Amino acid sequence: MAVMDTVVQTADGAVDGKRGRGGRRGTISWRGIPFAEPPVGQYRWRAPRPVAPWPGVRECYDYGPAPVQEKLFTARGAGRFQPRSEDCLTLNVFAPSTVSVTPRPVMVFNYGGAYILGGTSTPIYDGSYLARARDVIVVTVNYRFGPFGFLDFSDYSTDDRRFDTNPGLRDMVAGLEWVKRNIASFGGDPDRVTVFGESAGGSAVLTLLSTPAAEGLFAGAISQSPAPDLVVSKENARLFADEFVRLLMDPTRRRGPERDEPPLDPAVVARVLAGASAKELLRTGNKLIGFTRGARLTDPIPFAPVIDGEYLPQHPLEAARDGNTMSVPTIIGNNKDEGELFARFWDILPDSEQALVGLGDTDDHDLLQSLYPVKRRDVLIAADATFWTPTIRFAGHHSAHAPTYVYRFDYAPLLLRASGIGATHATELLAVFGTYRDPIGVGLAAAGSWGSTKRITATMQSKWSWFARTGRPAPDWPRYSRDDRRVMVLDDPTRIELDPHGDRRAAWDRVHLGEPG
């Protein structure tokens, strides 16, 4: 079979990649390809602009800078951290090193991180293993997040200084547009693109399904452990933007916006935002998170796609309910022990009492609590309120107008089972990307789970890639609907369950959500 050249001509210029070594043999990766101009200076909080073509051959041998965030979150190994920059709009392509007779399916990944951290250089997102094992093209895309990607200053736009809504979401769309234009040059099929993501990246998939500008850019969607309510209302977006600018002007500020505060002058806003360094913007964003938690607003995180009525017309759950999500096949699901990661390592979920806010009747409150075991009840309720319940609602609505496949990921290596962490948030990524044999995951595999990690990796990669290839994950995986709630339990081995925890689902629908899921 012919071997693919490492130099590929894109619409913007030629790029040179690297052949894989060690466990990545049989692949080529092109890392750090710019898909938009740097969003710096006057282009902060603007939609991504087309990249300027370059002469000659661009060496794309390593990842581009990570988006601006705390250094800790950019670790690539012991003592190694990825540089951070506002100039972060790059993507990476991973492909088998052989030339295929027919175009390969394409899988485009959006990382998670609660829209406040992340980046494609995170080792778990290396697409080489998946590309080689399943003969697909994998693309990973950097997008802006935090205050750089998801603050809405559009109300302060003037003729001299424009601000666009949803820069981070627009980055994701621009990445998909780049794939549509260029992926054929890498041996990929532009008509067989699947967008997938985990956590905030999974939420982003649901948002992309609800974004008119993304229409026609992908043929399938996979949403892993989404928090479907992770969006911001226009009303709260105005409040967040106002408070952010005031915090930037007065770092000692200790109170939130009050009714008697005069409105901000757009000219002042433009000047303050232009004069701030990336470090100052990041530091102010961290303060804004604290303000949001203290204010107990309906949107608990200030950084997420904004329902602006134009670029993002509706909340994804409402779009699915109204039949306005794209009618493309979709896989969606959660992990069995979703909340354990947050309970032990990252306390950002609401507590169980916050999760149950809105119940109109004490009996309803007590009923819902009675359906959970006493042990770890608070963790289970918080995780279900954030992840599982809205996910099942979205699946039920979306299934009315597009093939929908629901899963629960139950597999956990022996070490995670023994620790009580189990199949927690993000652990399925090790199987999807095949990194149980990489230094990031080999310790879990070697501790008594060598054979089972190999099998769960084959299971996940087979179903995800077959879905990318055909629009259906497996012959034995039935479609989900509100009339037939069959769920694929991804474990070693797999099995089908009918409406798992249906009593909890029905209780959440009845006493909290007020509509069927």
Side-chain angles (χ1 to χ4, degrees):
M1 190 175 286
V3 176
M4 188 174 181
D5 196 338
T6 60
V7 176
V8 172
Q9 183 68 44
T10 75
D12 307 308
V15 293
D16 188 22
K18 273 190 173 181
R19 299 193 186 278
R21 297 179 179 178
R24 299 173 183 82
R25 286 185 184 278
T27 64
I28 303 175
S29 62
W30 296 263
R31 309 184 191 207
I33 304 174
F35 66 90
E37 281 291 281
V40 298
Q42 63 179 318
Y43 298 111
R44 275 178 174 170
W45 298 289
R46 295 301 307 272
R49 298 168 300 128
V51 67
W54 56 84
V57 178
R58 188 183 191 107
E59 294 181 345
C60 293
Y61 300 156
D62 199 6
Y63 298 102
V68 177
Q69 60 197 290
E70 299 297 340
K71 180 180 178 180
L72 171 68
F73 302 129
T74 66
R76 292 184 61 177
R80 295 177 58 227
F81 298 89
Q82 189 69 6
R84 296 159 290 163
S85 174
E86 289 184 79
D87 179 6
C88 63
L89 298 186
T90 62
L91 53 74
N92 319 288
V93 179
F94 304 88
S97 60
T98 56
V99 176
S100 177
V101 175
T102 58
R104 292 179 166 108
V106 183
M107 303 181 70
V108 180
F109 183 74
N110 292 317
Y111 47 75
Y115 293 128
I116 56 176
L117 60 92
T120 60
S121 58
T122 301
I124 203 170
Y125 304 141
D126 187 333
S128 301
Y129 304 104
L130 176 58
R132 184 187 64 182
R134 296 295 159 176
D135 199 36
V136 296
I137 309 290
V138 178
V139 181
T140 58
V141 182
N142 266 350
Y143 62 87
R144 288 170 282 179
F145 47 65
F148 304 89
F150 292 110
L151 278 181
D152 180 5
F153 297 109
S154 60
D155 286 346
Y156 303 108
S157 288
T158 65
D159 290 340
D160 295 327
R161 178 57 164 107
R162 305 294 302 174
F163 296 99
D164 293 315
T165 62
N166 288 306
L169 179 59
R170 294 173 190 262
D171 293 344
M172 297 176 202
V173 172
L176 288 166
E177 290 172 337
W178 184 96
V179 169
K180 192 77 170 178
R181 289 194 307 271
N182 293 292
I183 206 64
S185 298
F186 296 84
D189 185 348
D191 296 321
R192 193 68 259 165
V193 173
T194 296
V195 63
F196 71 125
E198 184 272 340
S199 194
S203 303
V205 169
L206 305 187
T207 305
L208 287 166
L209 284 166
S210 312
T211 301
E215 185 80 43
L217 296 179
F218 55 92
I222 303 175
S223 178
Q224 300 169 211
S225 298
D229 288 316
L230 191 54
V231 290
V232 172
S233 69
K234 183 64 176 177
E235 179 184 10
N236 281 340
R238 291 190 179 100
L239 177 63
F240 295 148
D242 177 278
E243 180 66 12
F244 182 86
V245 176
R246 294 180 193 275
L247 282 167
L248 197 56
M249 292 191 295
D250 179 12
T252 64
R253 177 180 171 85
R254 288 291 181 267
R255 60 189 177 91
E258 297 182 1
R259 294 175 186 272
D260 59 353
E261 289 186 293
L264 293 168
D265 181 344
V268 172
V269 171
R271 184 172 66 252
V272 169
L273 293 178
S277 67
K279 184 178 291 186
E280 289 171 326
L281 295 174
L282 176 62
R283 184 167 57 241
T284 304
N286 292 338
K287 291 181 180 179
L288 184 63
I289 292 174
F291 157 76
T292 307
R293 289 177 177 170
R296 297 255 174 171
L297 299 172
T298 52
D299 297 321
I301 295 179
F303 308 124
V306 175
I307 306 165
D308 58 15
E310 296 179 6
Y311 198 79
L312 180 59
Q314 285 183 285
H315 189 300
L317 281 166
E318 294 176 359
R321 179 198 64 199
D322 296 343
N324 293 330
T325 44
M326 290 180 217
S327 296
V328 301
T330 300
I331 295 176
I332 186 170
N334 302 109
N335 291 7
K336 177 175 177 287
D337 306 299
E338 203 82 75
E340 291 297 335
L341 173 76
F342 302 98
R344 298 165 188 254
F345 305 111
W346 195 17
D347 184 20
I348 63 169
L349 296 188
D351 59 39
S352 62
E353 286 305 310
Q354 285 178 282
L356 295 174
V357 166
L359 298 189
D361 189 286
T362 302
D363 291 339
D364 292 340
H365 183 287
D366 293 344
L367 168 65
L368 194 49
Q369 286 211 322
S370 73
L371 295 173
Y372 288 85
V374 174
K375 184 179 181 181
R376 311 299 287 170
R377 175 183 288 163
D378 289 349
V379 175
L380 290 167
I381 289 177
D384 279 4
T386 303
F387 298 106
W388 177 65
T389 298
T391 293
I392 290 299
R393 287 173 65 208
F394 184 94
H397 292 317
H398 189 65
S399 69
H401 60 94
T404 303
Y405 303 90
V406 174
Y407 73 88
R408 190 183 73 211
F409 183 80
D410 280 22
Y411 175 79
L414 180 62
L415 193 61
L416 294 187
R417 291 202 307 274
S419 69
I421 294 175
T424 195
H425 193 71
T427 52
E428 87 286 1
L429 288 170
L430 291 162
V432 170
F433 281 97
T435 47
Y436 273 120
R437 300 299 182 267
D438 189 82
I440 194 171
V442 71
L444 292 174
S449 299
W450 201 255
S452 63
T453 55
K454 184 176 181 180
R455 290 189 295 272
I456 195 65
T457 296
T459 294
M460 296 296 287
Q461 291 189 338
S462 172
K463 295 186 188 309
W464 263 225
S465 63
W466 193 248
F467 177 80
R469 193 165 265 110
T470 68
R472 185 177 179 184
D476 63 343
W477 188 335
R479 288 171 60 166
Y480 182 90
S481 74
R482 280 177 287 186
D483 297 325
D484 185 6
R485 298 178 181 274
R486 289 182 291 175
V487 173
M488 172 66 75
V489 178
L490 295 166
D491 203 348
D492 181 33
T494 63
R495 65 184 185 275
I496 300 294
E497 288 191 9
L498 180 64
D499 197 15
H501 295 303
D503 53 350
R504 296 181 193 174
R505 177 196 54 75
W508 279 107
D509 289 345
R510 183 170 62 254
V511 304
H512 187 45
L513 303 173
E515 62 174 273

